[in-house]
Amino acid sequence: MDGRRRWPVWVAGGYALAVLATTVWVQVAAAGADDASLAGVWLIALTVPGSLLGLLLIPGELGSLVVFTVIGLLQAWGTWYLLERVRVRRAGRPATGSR
């Protein structure tokens, strides 16, 4: 598989890795903080727009870290799916100079 065929995986995989790394960082920051930490805001900001729906559905802090992580991973999958469709569609077109 050459680089032109891998770019949707790199984009979506990079986003998924960022979501997972931020989740770990939020968990470590929350475990080490004596006072309420604002580290969770980074995970919410990273997973917008799905996290906005999550904020409406989650009562309090019950499982919010897991929900936001799942939302982020679902968004990474959706990103891969859409970019893969674009890649396949572009690959199916003839070159711009030929008809």
Side-chain angles (χ1 to χ4, degrees):
M1 201 191 273
D2 62 355
R4 290 176 291 167
R5 294 177 62 187
R6 290 188 193 169
W7 68 272
V9 172
W10 285 105
V11 171
Y15 178 70
L17 185 63
V19 168
L20 292 174
T22 304
T23 301
V24 170
W25 177 67
V26 167
Q27 187 64 31
V28 168
D34 292 333
D35 57 348
S37 176
L38 291 177
V41 173
W42 288 102
L43 185 60
I44 293 170
L46 184 63
T47 57
V48 166
S51 62
L52 298 178
L53 179 64
L55 286 172
L56 295 174
L57 298 177
I58 300 171
E61 296 179 20
L62 180 64
S64 61
L65 187 66
V66 172
V67 170
F68 290 135
T69 302
V70 169
I71 287 171
L73 293 176
L74 285 173
Q75 287 181 168
W77 176 82
T79 301
W80 169 81
Y81 182 77
L82 292 174
L83 292 177
E84 184 66 17
R85 299 275 301 181
V86 167
R87 185 194 66 79
V88 168
R89 185 167 290 197
R90 284 186 180 172
R93 291 185 185 165
T96 54
S98 63
R99 288 193 176 217

